[in-house]
Amino acid sequence: MTTKVSVPLSLKWEEDTLYLLNQQLLPGIVQYENLKTVEQVAEAITSLKVRGAPAIGLAAGFGMSLAALSIQTDDITEAKETLVEAKELLAKTRPTAVNLFWVLDRIEKQIQQAASVEELKTLLIHEAIRLYVEDESVCHRIGEEALKVLPKDKPVLTICNAGSIATAKYGTALAPFHLAAERGEFFSVYACETRPVFQGGRLTTWELMQSGVDVTLITDSMAGHVMREKEIGAVIVGADRIANNGDVANKIGTYTLALCAKAFGIPFYVASPLSTFDRNTLKGEDIVIEERSADEIRTINNTPVAPSNVNVYNPAFDVTPSELITGIITEHGIIYTPSEETLEEFFSLLK
Ligand code: MRU
């Protein structure tokens, strides 16, 4: 039996306008902003109104469509120059999630093909929509794969938000919980609040509650205690970039969870689409880690929680070495004991 559950969406494209859920306002205000320019999309990515690796990429795809729609000239060379600038603007927004660059490359291939400005506009909109539709189906398949390995009789722990609002729909790490809710199956989820900007506390709890999933919020520092006391059965997280040796960059705090999970012998899964694999980056140390503003740590909602001039180090992501990862759950199955060799084998079977 399937139940109709409400899985929230991060973005929608309707009548040449991008409607974007402003995640900065969640959970208090559920507001879709209407974006009409590529500059607005770039600002929305930088300020975390839209966030999560796949959703950043999808927003950038629609941002390129908006840039194309704004072109007034019939000169295709001039039009393509405008798009080079739009692409550069989007590429500068956030460095770590590789999906952004993967989408921009897919869009670039369409730009190369266009022979007229009209064709350019059509090709870009179609590609952005195709990326969106593909992502929903990919996330659904990741959810199905995850359901094969996650325990239902013990709670599962997650961090950040690798959910529906971080993708086109369903999410990666949260996809199994949404699918289970649709089928009337029960999961108990513990969500780390995810300092400094609370993607776990503000977004994951809200999103899972929309779907009717049983979710309990903890602070990040409670994770080890909760793993032991609540007998966590598995940890599942998303990814922003996966290096060729299986090292995973994801939200800051993921590495600590992986170390704790190892200490307790708890399976540690990464749920990720193939678009998050960066086969050109050899190992985790080569991944560029975004550093964000000090005020994300010094203040909460503009209220000081530390001296205003204290030194701050604010990396948005960390790298979990592949040895700590039980398996990477993709839309094409699970890569167990990720390493350069197992990734190579997995990708060669897909060819
Ligand atoms: O800084 P954010 O909120 O964009 O970080 C998001 C994450 O780290 C997610 O786990 C990752 O992007 C995967 S989203 C399916």
Side-chain angles (χ1 to χ4, degrees):
M1 200 190 80
T2 57
T3 319
K4 189 123 186 60
V5 297
S6 154
V7 182
L9 303 180
S10 65
L11 34 89
K12 300 180 237 179
W13 177 259
E14 277 166 18
E15 293 173 5
D16 294 345
T17 302
L18 176 62
Y19 294 89
L20 194 106
L21 177 64
N22 184 345
Q23 299 190 31
Q24 286 286 44
L25 303 178
L26 288 172
I29 300 172
V30 182
Q31 183 175 295
Y32 283 84
E33 287 187 6
N34 158 346
L35 306 189
K36 290 191 174 295
T37 67
V38 65
E39 288 79 14
Q40 288 173 335
V41 175
E43 187 282 328
I45 296 173
T46 315
S47 66
L48 308 185
K49 286 180 184 153
V50 59
R51 32 69 44 207
I56 291 170
L58 298 174
F62 288 119
M64 290 299 289
S65 303
L66 291 172
L69 283 171
S70 74
I71 292 169
Q72 304 286 343
T73 176
D74 285 335
D75 182 327
I76 184 70
T77 312
E78 215 181 292
K80 287 186 179 180
E81 276 163 18
T82 305
L83 293 181
V84 170
E85 282 170 30
K87 192 175 153 189
E88 279 171 7
L89 177 71
L90 290 165
K92 276 196 304 218
T93 51
R94 297 193 72 191
T96 306
V98 73
N99 303 63
L100 169 65
F101 306 95
W102 177 78
V103 163
L104 292 175
D105 284 350
R106 285 244 327 229
I107 298 286
E108 179 62 39
K109 292 198 179 88
Q110 301 297 314
I111 297 175
Q112 299 302 332
Q113 276 180 35
S116 71
V117 174
E118 269 324 292
E119 191 190 7
L120 183 67
K121 293 181 182 182
T122 309
L123 285 175
L124 261 54
I125 293 171
H126 285 183
E127 186 68 348
I129 294 172
R130 199 175 301 123
L131 283 156
Y132 183 84
V133 173
E134 279 174 21
D135 191 58
E136 176 176 337
S137 141
V138 159
C139 288
H140 198 281
R141 281 150 63 197
I142 290 173
E144 296 286 6
E145 292 294 331
L147 281 174
K148 295 178 189 163
V149 294
L150 291 183
K152 295 218 182 58
D153 55 345
K154 285 183 171 179
V156 179
L157 180 75
T158 190
I159 189 169
C160 192
N161 172 271
S164 186
I165 59 173
T167 61
K169 193 174 176 187
Y170 296 112
T172 58
L174 300 191
F177 310 129
H178 289 300
L179 295 186
E182 283 182 351
R183 292 163 197 177
E185 293 169 10
F186 180 82
F187 263 107
S188 159
V189 180
Y190 278 82
C192 294
E193 68 178 350
T194 321
R195 273 288 275 152
V197 294
F198 300 103
Q199 289 94 332
R202 294 187 303 108
L203 309 177
T204 291
T205 51
W206 174 81
E207 178 181 318
L208 291 179
M209 287 168 80
Q210 300 292 304
S211 253
V213 177
D214 175 67
V215 57
T216 303
L217 177 64
I218 59 168
T219 68
D220 302 324
S221 52
M222 293 172 189
H225 178 77
V226 169
M227 279 186 199
R228 192 180 56 204
E229 294 301 309
K230 299 293 177 185
E231 296 183 26
I232 294 293
V235 178
I236 187 164
V237 301
D240 285 84
R241 193 182 286 248
I242 302 178
N244 197 41
N245 67 349
D247 291 350
V248 170
N250 190 50
K251 180 52 54 194
I252 191 76
T254 302
Y255 177 34
T256 316
L257 291 185
L259 286 167
C260 269
K262 183 84 170 177
F264 290 119
I266 297 170
F268 184 91
Y269 293 106
V270 174
S272 165
L274 296 191
S275 53
T276 304
F277 286 77
D278 175 5
R279 310 235 31 232
N280 296 320
T281 293
L282 296 185
K283 51 189 187 323
E285 294 107 284
D286 302 334
I287 297 174
V288 176
I289 300 294
E290 175 185 9
E291 276 190 45
R292 294 188 59 86
S293 106
D295 282 340
E296 282 187 351
I297 293 188
R298 290 187 193 129
T299 63
I300 295 179
N301 278 344
N302 296 324
T303 302
V305 291
S308 62
N309 58 349
V310 68
N311 290 334
V312 163
Y313 173 49
N314 185 15
F317 304 97
D318 58 27
V319 174
T320 300
S322 57
E323 312 84 81
L324 297 178
I325 300 169
T326 308
I328 304 179
I329 304 172
T330 78
E331 65 270 36
H332 287 287
I334 303 178
I335 311 173
Y336 285 103
T337 56
S339 67
E340 195 180 327
E341 292 71 34
T342 54
L343 261 64
E344 179 53 37
E345 195 189 338
F346 174 81
F347 280 101
S348 62
L349 287 173
L350 288 182
K351 278 182 194 149

